[in-house]
Amino acid sequence: MSTTTIAILAAFAFYLLLMIGIGIFSMKKTKSTEDYFLGGRGLNSWVAALSAQASDMSGWLLMGLPGSVYALGTGQAWIAIGLFIGTVLNWLIISKRLRRYTIVANNSLTLPEFFENRYHDRKKILLGISSIVIVIFFLVYTASALASGGKLFNTVFGIDYHLALAIGAAVILIYTFLGGFLAVCTTDFIQGTLMLIALMIVPILAYSLINGDFSTALLSHDVVNAGDYMSLFSNGGKPYSLIDILSQVAWGLGYCGMPHILVRFMAVKSEKELKKSSIIAIVWVAISLFAACVIGVVGRAFLQDVLTDSSTETVFISMIQQLFTVDFALPFIAGLFLCGILAAIMSTADSQLLVCASSASKDIYKNILNPDADDKKVLNISRITVVVVALLAFFIAWDPESSIMNLVSDAWAGLGSAFGPLVVCSLFWKRTNLPGAVSGIISGGLFVIIWDYLPLVGGQTLYTVTGIYSLLLGFFISLICIVVVSLCTKAPDASIVEEFEAVSTYSED
């Protein structure tokens, strides 16, 4: 084993042991289901902000997005633009009212539980449907994070992809299993900080080492037209259509339907802290998304060898390896920067595991199957669920050719279409009722499955034929169903309307 490999391995070992240590420490503070799922609603502004955004971005930020920009040019930045807009609207419009409403609605701990309490759903229809949707799409989402980890270890250490997949899954599983939400948020804070440092430093160093004119460097790395490559309105040398742009910007619609992000709003300890969190989160995501796009462009001009189509998602890894190769100290620094990619992967996977666990144990087991179960039993079921979900996601990610970008895209569309419109209507339209809520979740989730997975046109999916991102249509189909069905059925009871109006006057004092 080379000195460089040993140094990088030492950095990884240090980082992974730190994450596991946080899990053990957090376990001592986890005494109840509210602690395990919401950290006792005690997050401060910094932890809430960085935890929300780190759990959001995943390995997609440091692998999927830079890889797309590297391969096709800056036109891929429309996704980043859409995500930034969605982040801003989510923090400024959704966060405060959601936090208030979950407290008013019988101190709801999870998104499915909030839907149940919001619509006084005594038959627990919403609870069951939304929990199933979460488990289905989060399995795919978690698989994307595990696939990112497998590709990272495989590229850096030359480890077999499947063994690398197992190592990453095992570490994430350990600290999530032990410490729950507090461990996840604390590690996410560290990981979010590490991601930001890596995103800012690596492209600056690489750009400073590019020889000669930047456009010339691009042309020498198989870029046919540097002007098109650097244009927002060109996609792989072809003009962007309006549908292409709208499909990419539509990623921003998904934010208000992401349970692993929304739960951070619910967990902040006060509205004052929430206001600080919004500023921190918006600044973090603006810098991170911009830097991720820059990595793709700079990487194309900087790397000595042009990456193949199957390896473009490793552009950031390759840049770090090429920058830090001189002596033991530099590879150790490279290892820390590579841990930034691992941080992005782990910060999302742990949150997804926890959301799945909360849906299975609290929403399905406790609230539907065994209402008399005590806190200790629910905690045990939660930890068992974490293990089961991790194993299932592990097998979904088994194929080394699986695309991180495609896995994230499918899961994001499914969750955004199923939950996004309902979250908005639940918070801001008092006429929304139970039948409307049920129709919104079912129509949004089913549309994405039909659009992205079923070969309905000559053996091809509707997405393949049209190029339209399912979230762009699924979000509005769900929204229309909620509005139409709510207006065509009985209005909500007076008690539901009173609760809705009480949210506006809620005070923590």
Side-chain angles (χ1 to χ4, degrees), residues 97-121 126-127 130 262 266 363 367 422-428 499 503:
R97 188 164 178 87
L98 178 65
R99 183 183 180 278
R100 284 186 173 188
Y101 216 141
T102 55
I103 295 172
V104 171
N106 200 28
N107 194 33
S108 306
L109 301 184
T110 67
L111 191 62
E113 190 175 52
F114 166 63
F115 290 147
E116 177 197 12
N117 293 334
R118 162 69 173 83
Y119 296 102
H120 296 189
D121 178 18
L126 273 176
L127 193 69
S130 55
L262 299 176
M266 297 157 60
D363 297 328
N367 292 334
L422 181 56
V423 168
V424 173
C425 290
S426 297
L427 296 178
F428 300 105
E499 197 172 76
V503 175

Short mmCIF file of all heavy atoms in Angstrom, two decimals, residues 97-121 126-127 130 262 266 363 367 422-428 499 503:
data_model
loop_
_atom_site.label_atom_id
_atom_site.label_comp_id
_atom_site.label_asym_id
_atom_site.label_seq_id
_atom_site.Cartn_x
_atom_site.Cartn_y
_atom_site.Cartn_z
N ARG A 97 -44.39 28.60 9.62
CA ARG A 97 -45.76 28.15 9.83
C ARG A 97 -45.82 26.64 10.07
O ARG A 97 -46.64 26.16 10.87
CB ARG A 97 -46.63 28.53 8.63
CG ARG A 97 -48.11 28.25 8.87
CD ARG A 97 -49.02 28.95 7.89
NE ARG A 97 -50.42 28.60 8.14
CZ ARG A 97 -51.23 29.22 8.99
NH1 ARG A 97 -50.77 30.26 9.68
NH2 ARG A 97 -52.48 28.84 9.15
N LEU A 98 -44.93 25.88 9.42
CA LEU A 98 -44.92 24.43 9.65
C LEU A 98 -44.54 24.13 11.09
O LEU A 98 -45.14 23.26 11.74
CB LEU A 98 -43.96 23.75 8.69
CG LEU A 98 -43.84 22.23 8.87
CD1 LEU A 98 -45.16 21.54 8.55
CD2 LEU A 98 -42.73 21.67 7.99
N ARG A 99 -43.53 24.82 11.60
CA ARG A 99 -43.10 24.58 12.98
C ARG A 99 -44.26 24.88 13.94
O ARG A 99 -44.54 24.10 14.86
CB ARG A 99 -41.90 25.45 13.33
CG ARG A 99 -41.37 25.19 14.73
CD ARG A 99 -40.22 26.10 15.10
NE ARG A 99 -39.77 25.81 16.45
CZ ARG A 99 -40.35 26.27 17.55
NH1 ARG A 99 -41.41 27.07 17.46
NH2 ARG A 99 -39.89 25.94 18.76
N ARG A 100 -44.94 26.00 13.73
CA ARG A 100 -46.07 26.37 14.58
C ARG A 100 -47.19 25.33 14.49
O ARG A 100 -47.75 24.90 15.50
CB ARG A 100 -46.63 27.73 14.15
CG ARG A 100 -45.81 28.92 14.58
CD ARG A 100 -46.56 30.19 14.21
NE ARG A 100 -45.93 31.40 14.73
CZ ARG A 100 -46.48 32.60 14.67
NH1 ARG A 100 -47.66 32.76 14.11
NH2 ARG A 100 -45.84 33.64 15.18
N TYR A 101 -47.52 24.98 13.25
CA TYR A 101 -48.68 24.10 13.04
C TYR A 101 -48.44 22.71 13.63
O TYR A 101 -49.34 22.08 14.17
CB TYR A 101 -48.98 23.98 11.54
CG TYR A 101 -50.47 23.89 11.23
CD1 TYR A 101 -51.00 24.55 10.13
CD2 TYR A 101 -51.34 23.16 12.04
CE1 TYR A 101 -52.35 24.48 9.82
CE2 TYR A 101 -52.70 23.09 11.75
CZ TYR A 101 -53.19 23.74 10.64
OH TYR A 101 -54.54 23.69 10.36
N THR A 102 -47.22 22.20 13.54
CA THR A 102 -46.96 20.87 14.10
C THR A 102 -47.07 20.87 15.62
O THR A 102 -47.39 19.84 16.22
CB THR A 102 -45.57 20.35 13.69
OG1 THR A 102 -44.56 21.30 14.05
CG2 THR A 102 -45.51 20.10 12.19
N ILE A 103 -46.80 22.01 16.24
CA ILE A 103 -46.97 22.14 17.69
C ILE A 103 -48.45 22.23 18.04
O ILE A 103 -48.96 21.54 18.93
CB ILE A 103 -46.21 23.36 18.24
CG1 ILE A 103 -44.70 23.17 18.05
CG2 ILE A 103 -46.53 23.56 19.72
CD1 ILE A 103 -43.88 24.39 18.39
N VAL A 104 -49.18 23.09 17.33
CA VAL A 104 -50.61 23.27 17.56
C VAL A 104 -51.36 21.97 17.27
O VAL A 104 -52.29 21.60 18.00
CB VAL A 104 -51.16 24.42 16.67
CG1 VAL A 104 -52.68 24.47 16.74
CG2 VAL A 104 -50.56 25.76 17.12
N ALA A 105 -50.96 21.27 16.22
CA ALA A 105 -51.63 20.01 15.83
C ALA A 105 -51.10 18.86 16.68
O ALA A 105 -50.47 17.92 16.18
CB ALA A 105 -51.41 19.75 14.35
N ASN A 106 -51.34 18.94 17.96
CA ASN A 106 -51.06 17.85 18.90
C ASN A 106 -49.59 17.45 18.93
O ASN A 106 -49.26 16.27 19.04
CB ASN A 106 -51.94 16.64 18.57
CG ASN A 106 -52.06 15.68 19.75
OD1 ASN A 106 -51.97 16.09 20.91
ND2 ASN A 106 -52.26 14.41 19.45
N ASN A 107 -48.70 18.44 18.80
CA ASN A 107 -47.25 18.21 18.88
C ASN A 107 -46.80 17.07 17.94
O ASN A 107 -46.15 16.11 18.34
CB ASN A 107 -46.83 17.87 20.31
CG ASN A 107 -45.32 17.95 20.50
OD1 ASN A 107 -44.65 18.76 19.87
ND2 ASN A 107 -44.78 17.09 21.36
N SER A 108 -47.12 17.22 16.67
CA SER A 108 -46.78 16.20 15.67
C SER A 108 -45.28 16.06 15.53
O SER A 108 -44.55 17.06 15.41
CB SER A 108 -47.38 16.58 14.31
OG SER A 108 -48.77 16.82 14.41
N LEU A 109 -44.78 14.82 15.50
CA LEU A 109 -43.35 14.56 15.43
C LEU A 109 -42.86 14.21 14.03
O LEU A 109 -41.67 14.28 13.75
CB LEU A 109 -42.96 13.44 16.39
CG LEU A 109 -43.28 13.64 17.87
CD1 LEU A 109 -42.74 12.46 18.68
CD2 LEU A 109 -42.71 14.95 18.39
N THR A 110 -43.78 13.77 13.16
CA THR A 110 -43.41 13.40 11.80
C THR A 110 -44.38 14.04 10.82
O THR A 110 -45.46 14.49 11.20
CB THR A 110 -43.46 11.87 11.61
OG1 THR A 110 -44.83 11.42 11.70
CG2 THR A 110 -42.61 11.15 12.64
N LEU A 111 -44.01 14.05 9.54
CA LEU A 111 -44.90 14.65 8.54
C LEU A 111 -46.20 13.87 8.39
O LEU A 111 -47.28 14.49 8.37
CB LEU A 111 -44.16 14.74 7.19
CG LEU A 111 -44.85 15.58 6.11
CD1 LEU A 111 -44.97 17.03 6.54
CD2 LEU A 111 -44.08 15.48 4.79
N PRO A 112 -46.19 12.53 8.31
CA PRO A 112 -47.46 11.80 8.27
C PRO A 112 -48.34 12.06 9.49
O PRO A 112 -49.57 12.17 9.37
CB PRO A 112 -47.02 10.32 8.21
CG PRO A 112 -45.68 10.36 7.55
CD PRO A 112 -45.04 11.62 8.11
N GLU A 113 -47.72 12.16 10.67
CA GLU A 113 -48.49 12.44 11.88
C GLU A 113 -49.09 13.84 11.82
O GLU A 113 -50.21 14.06 12.28
CB GLU A 113 -47.58 12.29 13.10
CG GLU A 113 -48.34 12.33 14.42
CD GLU A 113 -47.44 12.07 15.61
OE1 GLU A 113 -46.40 12.76 15.73
OE2 GLU A 113 -47.78 11.19 16.42
N PHE A 114 -48.36 14.78 11.23
CA PHE A 114 -48.90 16.13 11.07
C PHE A 114 -50.12 16.10 10.16
O PHE A 114 -51.14 16.73 10.46
CB PHE A 114 -47.84 17.06 10.47
CG PHE A 114 -48.40 18.36 9.95
CD1 PHE A 114 -49.01 19.27 10.81
CD2 PHE A 114 -48.35 18.67 8.59
CE1 PHE A 114 -49.54 20.48 10.33
CE2 PHE A 114 -48.87 19.86 8.11
CZ PHE A 114 -49.47 20.75 8.98
N PHE A 115 -50.07 15.36 9.06
CA PHE A 115 -51.22 15.27 8.17
C PHE A 115 -52.42 14.67 8.91
O PHE A 115 -53.55 15.14 8.77
CB PHE A 115 -50.89 14.40 6.95
CG PHE A 115 -49.92 15.03 5.98
CD1 PHE A 115 -49.03 14.24 5.26
CD2 PHE A 115 -49.89 16.40 5.79
CE1 PHE A 115 -48.13 14.81 4.36
CE2 PHE A 115 -49.00 16.99 4.89
CZ PHE A 115 -48.12 16.18 4.18
N GLU A 116 -52.17 13.63 9.69
CA GLU A 116 -53.26 13.00 10.45
C GLU A 116 -53.90 14.00 11.41
O GLU A 116 -55.14 14.13 11.47
CB GLU A 116 -52.72 11.80 11.23
CG GLU A 116 -53.78 11.14 12.09
CD GLU A 116 -53.20 10.23 13.17
OE1 GLU A 116 -51.98 10.29 13.39
OE2 GLU A 116 -53.97 9.48 13.78
N ASN A 117 -53.07 14.70 12.18
CA ASN A 117 -53.59 15.66 13.16
C ASN A 117 -54.20 16.89 12.50
O ASN A 117 -55.19 17.44 12.98
CB ASN A 117 -52.47 16.08 14.11
CG ASN A 117 -52.00 14.95 14.99
OD1 ASN A 117 -52.75 14.01 15.27
ND2 ASN A 117 -50.75 15.00 15.43
N ARG A 118 -53.62 17.32 11.41
CA ARG A 118 -54.12 18.51 10.69
C ARG A 118 -55.56 18.29 10.22
O ARG A 118 -56.40 19.20 10.28
CB ARG A 118 -53.19 18.80 9.50
CG ARG A 118 -53.75 19.71 8.40
CD ARG A 118 -53.93 21.13 8.88
NE ARG A 118 -54.30 22.03 7.80
CZ ARG A 118 -55.53 22.21 7.33
NH1 ARG A 118 -56.55 21.53 7.87
NH2 ARG A 118 -55.78 23.05 6.35
N TYR A 119 -55.87 17.08 9.72
CA TYR A 119 -57.20 16.81 9.15
C TYR A 119 -58.08 15.95 10.07
O TYR A 119 -59.13 15.46 9.64
CB TYR A 119 -57.05 16.14 7.78
CG TYR A 119 -56.37 17.06 6.79
CD1 TYR A 119 -55.02 16.90 6.47
CD2 TYR A 119 -57.05 18.13 6.21
CE1 TYR A 119 -54.38 17.76 5.60
CE2 TYR A 119 -56.41 18.99 5.34
CZ TYR A 119 -55.08 18.81 5.04
OH TYR A 119 -54.45 19.68 4.17
N HIS A 120 -57.63 15.77 11.33
CA HIS A 120 -58.39 14.98 12.31
C HIS A 120 -58.80 13.64 11.71
O HIS A 120 -59.97 13.23 11.78
CB HIS A 120 -59.62 15.76 12.79
CG HIS A 120 -59.27 17.01 13.53
ND1 HIS A 120 -60.22 17.77 14.21
CD2 HIS A 120 -58.09 17.68 13.71
CE1 HIS A 120 -59.63 18.83 14.76
NE2 HIS A 120 -58.34 18.78 14.47
N ASP A 121 -57.83 12.97 11.13
CA ASP A 121 -58.06 11.72 10.42
C ASP A 121 -58.05 10.55 11.40
O ASP A 121 -57.04 9.89 11.61
CB ASP A 121 -56.96 11.54 9.36
CG ASP A 121 -57.08 10.25 8.59
OD1 ASP A 121 -58.18 9.64 8.64
OD2 ASP A 121 -56.10 9.84 7.95
N LEU A 126 -54.58 8.91 6.02
CA LEU A 126 -53.44 9.72 5.59
C LEU A 126 -52.13 9.20 6.17
O LEU A 126 -51.10 9.19 5.50
CB LEU A 126 -53.64 11.18 6.04
CG LEU A 126 -54.42 12.10 5.10
CD1 LEU A 126 -54.59 13.46 5.76
CD2 LEU A 126 -53.72 12.24 3.77
N LEU A 127 -52.20 8.80 7.42
CA LEU A 127 -51.00 8.30 8.09
C LEU A 127 -50.43 7.09 7.35
O LEU A 127 -49.22 7.01 7.08
CB LEU A 127 -51.35 7.92 9.54
CG LEU A 127 -50.19 7.67 10.49
CD1 LEU A 127 -49.46 8.96 10.80
CD2 LEU A 127 -50.71 7.05 11.79
N SER A 130 -49.27 8.08 3.48
CA SER A 130 -48.06 8.91 3.43
C SER A 130 -46.84 8.14 3.94
O SER A 130 -45.73 8.31 3.42
CB SER A 130 -48.25 10.20 4.23
OG SER A 130 -48.64 9.95 5.56
N LEU A 262 -38.09 19.07 6.00
CA LEU A 262 -39.17 19.70 6.77
C LEU A 262 -39.07 19.39 8.26
O LEU A 262 -39.43 20.21 9.11
CB LEU A 262 -40.53 19.22 6.24
CG LEU A 262 -40.83 19.58 4.78
CD1 LEU A 262 -42.16 18.97 4.36
CD2 LEU A 262 -40.86 21.09 4.57
N MET A 266 -39.37 21.64 12.07
CA MET A 266 -40.16 21.25 13.23
C MET A 266 -39.31 21.16 14.49
O MET A 266 -39.82 21.31 15.61
CB MET A 266 -40.82 19.90 12.96
CG MET A 266 -41.80 19.92 11.79
SD MET A 266 -42.09 18.28 11.02
CE MET A 266 -42.73 17.35 12.40
N ASP A 363 -45.45 6.00 12.91
CA ASP A 363 -46.68 6.23 12.14
C ASP A 363 -47.44 4.94 11.85
O ASP A 363 -48.67 4.91 11.95
CB ASP A 363 -46.33 6.93 10.82
CG ASP A 363 -45.73 8.31 11.06
OD1 ASP A 363 -46.10 8.93 12.05
OD2 ASP A 363 -44.88 8.73 10.26
N ASN A 367 -48.98 4.15 15.76
CA ASN A 367 -50.26 4.84 15.57
C ASN A 367 -51.34 3.99 14.89
O ASN A 367 -52.52 4.32 14.97
CB ASN A 367 -50.05 6.12 14.76
CG ASN A 367 -49.26 7.17 15.52
OD1 ASN A 367 -49.26 7.17 16.74
ND2 ASN A 367 -48.55 8.03 14.82
N LEU A 422 -49.52 19.20 -0.95
CA LEU A 422 -50.33 19.03 0.26
C LEU A 422 -49.76 19.85 1.42
O LEU A 422 -50.52 20.42 2.21
CB LEU A 422 -50.41 17.56 0.64
CG LEU A 422 -51.26 17.26 1.89
CD1 LEU A 422 -52.68 17.82 1.73
CD2 LEU A 422 -51.31 15.76 2.17
N VAL A 423 -48.43 19.90 1.55
CA VAL A 423 -47.84 20.73 2.61
C VAL A 423 -48.25 22.19 2.43
O VAL A 423 -48.67 22.86 3.38
CB VAL A 423 -46.30 20.60 2.60
CG1 VAL A 423 -45.67 21.66 3.49
CG2 VAL A 423 -45.88 19.21 3.08
N VAL A 424 -48.17 22.69 1.20
CA VAL A 424 -48.53 24.08 0.92
C VAL A 424 -50.00 24.32 1.24
O VAL A 424 -50.36 25.30 1.92
CB VAL A 424 -48.23 24.44 -0.55
CG1 VAL A 424 -48.77 25.83 -0.88
CG2 VAL A 424 -46.74 24.37 -0.82
N CYS A 425 -50.88 23.45 0.76
CA CYS A 425 -52.32 23.61 1.00
C CYS A 425 -52.66 23.45 2.48
O CYS A 425 -53.52 24.17 3.01
CB CYS A 425 -53.11 22.61 0.17
SG CYS A 425 -53.09 22.93 -1.61
N SER A 426 -52.00 22.51 3.15
CA SER A 426 -52.27 22.30 4.58
C SER A 426 -51.94 23.53 5.41
O SER A 426 -52.64 23.85 6.38
CB SER A 426 -51.45 21.10 5.09
OG SER A 426 -51.82 19.92 4.45
N LEU A 427 -50.88 24.21 5.03
CA LEU A 427 -50.43 25.37 5.80
C LEU A 427 -51.18 26.65 5.46
O LEU A 427 -51.36 27.51 6.33
CB LEU A 427 -48.93 25.59 5.57
CG LEU A 427 -47.99 24.48 6.05
CD1 LEU A 427 -46.54 24.83 5.71
CD2 LEU A 427 -48.13 24.24 7.55
N PHE A 428 -51.64 26.79 4.21
CA PHE A 428 -52.13 28.10 3.77
C PHE A 428 -53.54 28.13 3.19
O PHE A 428 -54.04 29.19 2.88
CB PHE A 428 -51.15 28.68 2.73
CG PHE A 428 -49.76 28.87 3.25
CD1 PHE A 428 -48.74 28.01 2.89
CD2 PHE A 428 -49.47 29.90 4.15
CE1 PHE A 428 -47.46 28.18 3.39
CE2 PHE A 428 -48.19 30.08 4.65
CZ PHE A 428 -47.18 29.21 4.27
N GLU A 499 -58.46 25.46 14.48
CA GLU A 499 -57.06 25.10 14.68
C GLU A 499 -56.17 25.77 13.64
O GLU A 499 -55.09 26.26 13.94
CB GLU A 499 -56.92 23.58 14.59
CG GLU A 499 -55.63 23.04 15.16
CD GLU A 499 -55.65 21.52 15.22
OE1 GLU A 499 -55.47 20.89 14.15
OE2 GLU A 499 -55.83 20.98 16.33
N VAL A 503 -53.09 28.93 14.44
CA VAL A 503 -51.66 28.90 14.10
C VAL A 503 -51.13 30.32 13.92
O VAL A 503 -49.99 30.62 14.32
CB VAL A 503 -51.43 28.06 12.83
CG1 VAL A 503 -49.97 28.12 12.40
CG2 VAL A 503 -51.86 26.62 13.05
#
